[in-house]
Every structure is written in structure tokens, then in C-alpha cells.
Amino acid sequence: MKDTIENTEIQSQIVDAFNFRHATKVFDDTRKISDSEFDTILEAARLSPTSFGTEPFQLLVVQSPEKRELFRDFTWGANGATNGTAGQLGTSSHYVIVLAHTGATMKAGSEYLAKHNREIKQFPEEVIEFMNGAFTKFQESDFKLETDAQIAEWSARQAYIVLGNMMTAGALMGIDSCPIEGFEMDKTEAVLRDHFGIDTAVYKPAVMVAFGYRADGPMFPKTRRAMEDIVTWA
Ligand SMILES: Cc1cc2nc3c(=O)[nH]c(=O)nc-3n(C[C@H](O)[C@H](O)[C@H](O)COP(=O)(O)O)c2cc1C
């Protein structure tokens, strides 16, 4: 498609947003994202694509400061220990834990998937049966997602699309964010079980993400490989 003036403007808005976004270490804790803007970030998550349309993720938004503190000791990527601040856990406007479904829901042939296909996707019974066959082949033969852990990893891959879309949606509105993998899995699961009533046999924490407004400029300059070192055209 030829560039139009409109497309050129959108292109620079997109690139500007990607340059604006950086992994924010400390947020201005006096500033809160408006409900309407945060709803838009959630809508970007909800409308994200997922393999087979299975939507194998849940979002837990942790707003109570006391509940956020439960994660502090072992969430080394967001507790500010490296910079002597309250970290993303203590300063962000919104703090989200992205959960990935396990084989309990996402194993081909599960009751959950049949219900999802029937009630959410509104497929007729013959399509549900066809999808079940296609998904069984995909899991068992194409991608070899045999164990519960492999299925949870596959769900987490879908969850990362959600993560990216949420951060980009935020950046387009001038909202900062930080993705967070710096946490101990076992201890996170224990807190989710003991304090949030989450069955970690069904949902595993995949990644966390904090949103808000930066307290200072980026701590590090943005560095990336050159395009020709990334892309091969064939
Ligand atoms: C999946 C994922 C997990 C990350 N985990 C953390 C984290 O725990 N704490 C943190 O401060 N930054 C974290 N980062 C931020 C990266 O270090 C950062 O994105 C990268 O260095 C590039 O810098 P930029 O995002 O500022 O351009 C994470 C990034 C991604 C994509």
C-alpha cells in the first residue's frame, strides 16, 4: 500500500510511542492513571490475539499496597533493591500479574475449551468437534505440548502478546510501564494461593507488569541492534 499523509503520521506516532516506552524503574507515586485510560489498556489485553482463540490468560490487578507488599521480598525485579527506592511494586499506579492457564483448562478435549468454544466463540457443535480435532493434532503432534508444564509455557507465550499490547497501548497514551520477570516462581505461587485464593494447578504466574508515570528520565539510554542484524529478507 502506498503511504498516505495519514499513514505517515500514524507511522511516526507508532515509532514515537515505541521510543517513549522504556522499562520504568521508579514511577511518580503521586500520579494515577485515569480509569478510562486503564480500561483502554485492559481492552488492548482483552482484544489481543491468541492461538486458536483460546484466551489462555487471566489478569490480576493488585492495587492494595498491603497486597503488593506480599511480593516484595522475592520480586527482585520490581522491589527497588538495586536503586534504593520502593521499586515498581511501591510506586506504580497499577500493578498487574499476568497468569497463564495450565493443562487443567488448556488440554485438548477439556470441558473448559468446549465451553469456551460454545459460549464465547458461539461455535455450533460440529465446529466445536472440528476445532477439538485440530487442536488435539496441534498439541499432540505439531507442537508436542504433552506435559502440563509445556501447556502452561504455551499459554504464557499467548500471555506475552497481551503484555506487549498493553504496554504499547499505554505508551500511545503517554503511560509508562515495566514488564517484570524478576520474581521467584515458587514463592509467587505460594502468595497467589494463600492470599488471593488462586489455584496454581490451574493458573501459573507468567509475567508481571507495572504501569504509571515515570519519576525521572530513563535510567539507561535505549540501545538496540541495527535492523540489518535482525531482519533477513528471503
Ligand atoms: C519479559 C520481560 C521481563 C523483564 N523483567 C524486568 C524486571 O523484572 N525488572 C526490570 O526492571 N526490568 C525488566 N525488564 C525490562 C528489560 O530489562 C528492558 O525491557 C530491556 O533492558 C530493554 O530496555 P527498554 O525496555 O528500556 O528499552 C523485562 C523485560 C521483559 C520484556
Side-chain angles (χ1 to χ4, degrees):
M1 196 166 86
K2 279 226 164 78
D3 280 358
T4 60
I5 301 222
E6 288 78 12
N7 273 343
T8 312
E9 280 172 14
I10 291 170
Q11 285 170 44
S12 38
Q13 280 170 17
I14 291 170
V15 174
D16 286 351
F18 277 97
N19 274 310
F20 165 85
R21 189 214 57 76
H22 73 288
T24 304
K25 306 299 175 194
V26 190
F27 295 92
D28 177 347
D29 62 5
T30 65
R31 294 185 67 191
K32 289 277 166 269
I33 300 168
S34 72
D35 289 349
S36 139
E37 284 174 309
F38 196 70
D39 284 350
T40 302
I41 290 173
L42 292 179
E43 196 64 348
R46 193 176 74 93
L47 294 174
S48 291
T50 52
S51 183
F52 284 85
T54 45
E55 303 177 45
F57 67 93
Q58 305 292 133
L59 301 175
L60 174 67
V61 187
V62 186
Q63 292 306 81
S64 136
E66 294 76 30
K67 289 210 156 155
R68 286 191 193 177
E69 284 311 302
L70 298 169
F71 297 95
R72 178 170 292 284
D73 283 353
F74 51 84
T75 303
W76 50 266
N79 64 8
T82 52
N83 56 26
T85 69
Q88 296 92 331
L89 264 175
T91 61
S92 59
S93 165
H94 289 69
Y95 196 90
V96 182
I97 301 181
V98 185
L99 304 168
H101 286 221
T102 66
T105 54
M106 286 299 138
K107 177 107 183 118
S110 73
E111 263 307 303
Y112 179 94
L113 280 170
K115 191 166 184 283
H116 179 78
N117 282 335
R118 194 173 296 125
E119 292 177 11
I120 307 298
K121 300 194 87 61
Q122 308 221 312
F123 286 156
E125 286 307 313
E126 65 272 18
V127 177
I128 293 175
E129 211 169 296
F130 174 81
M131 290 299 288
N132 186 29
F135 194 55
T136 302
K137 174 179 176 292
F138 169 76
Q139 269 193 346
E140 293 178 4
S141 157
D142 299 347
F143 267 49
K144 305 204 173 13
L145 304 168
E146 283 143 19
T147 64
D148 197 46
Q150 285 168 329
I151 293 174
E153 282 300 321
W154 168 83
S155 295
R157 297 210 283 273
Q158 318 311 314
Y160 276 71
I161 299 172
V162 171
L163 167 74
N165 284 341
M166 290 174 88
M167 293 193 298
T168 302
L172 283 162
M173 296 185 289
I175 292 169
D176 287 303
S177 60
C178 186
I180 294 146
E181 266 182 351
F183 58 89
E184 291 180 38
M185 189 57 79
D186 292 348
K187 291 180 182 166
T188 303
E189 284 192 23
V191 168
L192 291 173
R193 270 194 306 273
D194 297 346
H195 296 273
F196 294 83
I198 288 173
D199 183 350
T200 52
V202 181
Y203 307 113
K204 297 274 180 218
V207 65
M208 304 177 179
V209 53
F211 294 95
Y213 297 95
R214 63 191 73 185
D216 294 307
M219 212 169 263
F220 308 105
K222 198 174 273 303
T223 58
R224 290 297 188 270
R225 292 173 295 161
M227 194 65 86
E228 59 268 28
D229 294 334
I230 299 174
V231 183
T232 303
W233 291 75

